[in-house]
Amino acid sequence: MKYFSFMLLAFLLGMQVHAQIIPTGSGSYTKTFPGVDEANRNKFPSGTPNLTGNAAGKPVPTNDWWSSLIKNNFVNNVYNYPFSLRTMGSGLVVAYIVPNSGPEEYREPMSDIIPITVGVTGLNASKASVSDHTDWTVSVDWNDQFNATIGLAMPFLYFTKASSETASVDVSVGTVAVDNEMLIITNGQNNARYAVYAPAGSTWQKNGNAYTSDLNGKNYWSMVFLPPAAANVTEIAREYQKYAYVFPADTEITWEYNEQTSVVRTTFNVTPDVKEGSNSNVLLGLLPHQWGYLAPDSPKPEGISFPSVRGEVKTLDGNTFYVENKFYGILPTLPNVVSESELYDLNVMNQKIALYEDNIMERWTDSYNEGQIFNQLVQTARVADLVGNTTARDKILETVKERLEDWLTAEAGEVAFLFYYNEDWSALLGYPAGHGQDDNLNDHHFHWGYFIHTAAFVEQYNPG
């Protein structure tokens, strides 16, 4: 009876282990951490996602422009263009990166200087957590006392607070002028200029470097980066005030591809949350890859532009714009037009191909180096195909296909050449890992780009 109970337990445990191997297509991955290999590699992602509120119920974006906020309690490297932002226990630190005037110039503002801190009086949070995110905004929360929403290329920052708190703007670098419910900040770090807007009828009180307000009984306020080209600071600050109370409740990017015209049409749309006033448009910032390819029927950014390290940002009074790009496909390899050159020697080309056609895939490698070898062999095979060397092409095809099938199939007890899906981080990790893509959740976009490229090559020459 004891023997039967032991066998039953072993069978059930085996079922549980195998249940964590998830079939997909002809391959599989595992949801069970496979453990370390003999070199103590295969690290488990450290910590847990720093999420709260609405964000806690969403998949975790680990490779977005703000993803450091998810991994750490506080960060000093959130850049939305124009702002350079840091989170601290006392609130959100606001600075500005200006484009370098030369290759040796260093303009990173996030040194020991804390130019402006926005928060609430007495704030001393143990961490700042991501409370929500949409397609190009992120919201950060400090202990349910203070919340900030940041959007990519948006010149405004949007703040809310708990009803019992007092809004605070601490300015250690800059000159502040109070204009009714508005603060105008000039001579900031890197000569930046800002305006801070409390609700209509609010007042600001000065105490040292800090300016505080009860927001006239409301719980929202905002801050804008004022374009350096604006001649009259007060005038542009007053002009921008109509946008100060229109918060982005949601941002969404959708696209469609027209096969007849080869046009990819992308729609960028903001759902506004109007706190007060009659205006319902946000002030959007468009980056060069957006304003340079606007659709003919798209609203145009006709506001004042400002420089950023990503190029000129143009501002748009509106909640929607459209971008169109022609996409004809991608040439995997340049065509063999060089064969028409007098200097071209097919024998020399085949000698170069021969250097790689018998290569084997090393057993001692990692996801990054493996991807590079995949790329090297795939490019060689495609060149071989173009010059008619199908023997070399097929040798390489079999080599990479065998290893790729190994990576794309998880087996019980396997610790190398498999994929593990971590549900806490919504992240697919490949083991053996390279360049911190496992514990630091780093570089997934180009690691797996190599693998997708290789899979496309296998499908191209071995369909199905």
Side-chain angles (χ1 to χ4, degrees):
M1 188 66 182
K2 288 182 179 179
Y3 176 78
F4 174 77
S5 300
F6 174 79
M7 292 301 294
L8 178 61
L9 177 62
F11 174 73
L12 292 174
L13 288 174
M15 284 187 63
Q16 184 176 11
V17 169
H18 284 285
Q20 291 299 302
I21 293 178
I22 312 301
T24 177
S26 298
S28 57
Y29 63 94
T30 181
K31 287 188 176 181
T32 302
F33 177 62
V36 299
D37 67 6
E38 60 190 66
N40 202 32
R41 298 184 299 177
N42 297 1
K43 293 182 175 63
F44 191 79
S46 59
T48 55
N50 185 22
L51 304 172
T52 189
N54 290 338
K58 297 182 178 181
V60 184
T62 55
N63 285 91
D64 219 325
W65 57 274
W66 50 265
S67 289
S68 57
L69 292 164
I70 295 178
K71 199 76 171 62
N72 305 286
N73 289 342
F74 298 114
V75 304
N76 63 355
N77 58 347
V78 176
Y79 309 109
N80 81 321
Y81 321 108
F83 295 105
S84 175
L85 303 166
R86 173 189 294 188
T87 57
M88 300 180 66
S90 55
L92 183 71
V93 178
V94 180
Y96 167 56
I97 297 181
V98 294
N100 293 352
S101 60
E104 302 301 321
E105 186 180 13
Y106 185 69
R107 293 290 189 97
E108 169 57 66
M110 285 308 181
S111 58
D112 294 333
I113 300 173
I114 307 296
I116 300 173
T117 306
V118 183
V120 293
T121 301
L123 183 61
N124 186 24
S126 59
K127 63 179 180 177
S129 304
V130 173
S131 60
D132 203 358
H133 53 87
T134 66
D135 281 358
W136 76 93
T137 66
V138 61
S139 296
V140 189
D141 184 82
W142 284 255
N143 287 356
D144 293 327
Q145 296 172 270
F146 170 64
N147 193 284
T149 296
I150 309 155
L152 193 62
M154 287 184 175
F156 269 88
L157 300 170
Y158 305 90
F159 312 116
T160 58
K161 67 175 186 66
S163 58
S164 59
E165 304 293 339
T166 300
S168 174
V169 180
D170 193 293
V171 183
S172 62
V173 180
T175 303
V176 182
V178 180
D179 187 345
N180 295 317
E181 62 266 6
M182 182 169 60
L183 300 177
I184 300 175
I185 304 169
T186 56
N187 304 314
Q189 189 182 22
N190 288 330
N191 296 315
R193 305 181 296 181
Y194 310 94
V196 179
Y197 304 95
S202 300
T203 58
W204 292 95
Q205 289 76 45
K206 184 178 187 301
N207 183 11
N209 291 331
Y211 293 79
T212 60
S213 176
D214 66 1
L215 306 181
N216 199 22
K218 308 294 186 1
N219 71 337
Y220 53 86
W221 74 109
S222 63
M223 178 177 184
V224 69
F225 172 79
L226 297 176
N232 188 311
V233 177
T234 302
E235 183 178 317
I236 190 66
R238 289 173 178 167
E239 180 183 330
Y240 277 7
Q241 188 165 10
K242 66 181 179 181
Y243 306 110
Y245 312 116
V246 187
F247 285 38
D250 189 20
T251 63
E252 185 179 26
I253 301 170
T254 57
W255 61 271
E256 56 186 12
Y257 178 59
N258 187 317
E259 293 185 1
Q260 280 67 47
T261 63
S262 299
V263 170
V264 180
R265 181 180 173 92
T266 307
T267 300
F268 295 80
N269 188 68
V270 179
T271 301
D273 175 15
V274 179
K275 302 295 186 182
E276 64 180 74
S278 59
N279 179 50
S280 59
N281 282 345
V282 298
L283 184 67
L284 288 175
L286 275 62
L287 291 162
H289 69 278
Q290 297 169 329
W291 59 253
Y293 299 91
L294 289 174
D297 61 337
S298 175
K300 302 299 187 289
E302 297 176 343
I304 300 175
S305 62
F306 55 85
S308 82
V309 295
R310 294 268 310 266
E312 182 183 10
V313 177
K314 297 186 178 183
T315 56
L316 170 68
D317 176 349
N319 298 327
T320 305
F321 65 95
Y322 310 100
V323 171
E324 289 187 353
N325 300 94
K326 286 272 188 177
F327 181 74
Y328 298 109
I330 298 173
L331 281 177
T333 310
L334 293 176
N336 187 26
V337 295
V338 72
S339 60
E340 300 173 7
S341 167
E342 293 180 1
L343 299 177
Y344 178 75
D345 189 328
L346 180 59
N347 291 326
V348 173
M349 178 62 77
N350 278 317
Q351 289 171 16
K352 294 180 181 295
I353 293 170
L355 296 174
Y356 297 97
E357 66 178 283
D358 293 316
N359 276 20
I360 61 172
M361 304 293 291
E362 297 291 341
R363 298 298 299 178
W364 191 256
T365 186
D366 58 55
S367 58
Y368 173 66
N369 289 290
E370 185 85 305
Q372 290 191 312
I373 295 300
F374 272 147
N375 184 57
Q376 182 186 69
L377 293 178
V378 166
Q379 297 290 3
T380 302
R382 285 191 166 130
V383 171
D385 180 69
L386 286 171
V387 301
N389 190 344
T390 55
T391 300
R393 178 201 68 191
D394 292 344
K395 282 184 183 179
I396 295 173
L397 175 64
E398 289 304 311
T399 298
V400 300
K401 183 173 72 169
E402 181 180 359
R403 177 57 63 85
L404 190 62
E405 287 176 349
D406 194 356
W407 275 98
L408 298 179
T409 308
E411 299 173 354
E414 187 179 25
V415 295
F417 306 119
L418 79 161
F419 280 95
Y420 157 63
Y421 182 73
N422 182 282
E423 295 183 280
D424 286 342
W425 288 101
S426 308
L428 192 66
L429 310 177
Y431 294 124
H435 282 245
Q437 62 94 357
D438 49 359
D439 58 333
N440 201 41
L441 300 169
N442 193 50
D443 295 345
H444 294 171
H445 48 307
F446 70 84
H447 282 226
W448 308 149
Y450 284 130
F451 282 64
I452 293 168
H453 177 212
T454 305
F457 162 74
V458 172
E459 178 66 18
Q460 181 181 357
Y461 292 104
N462 191 1

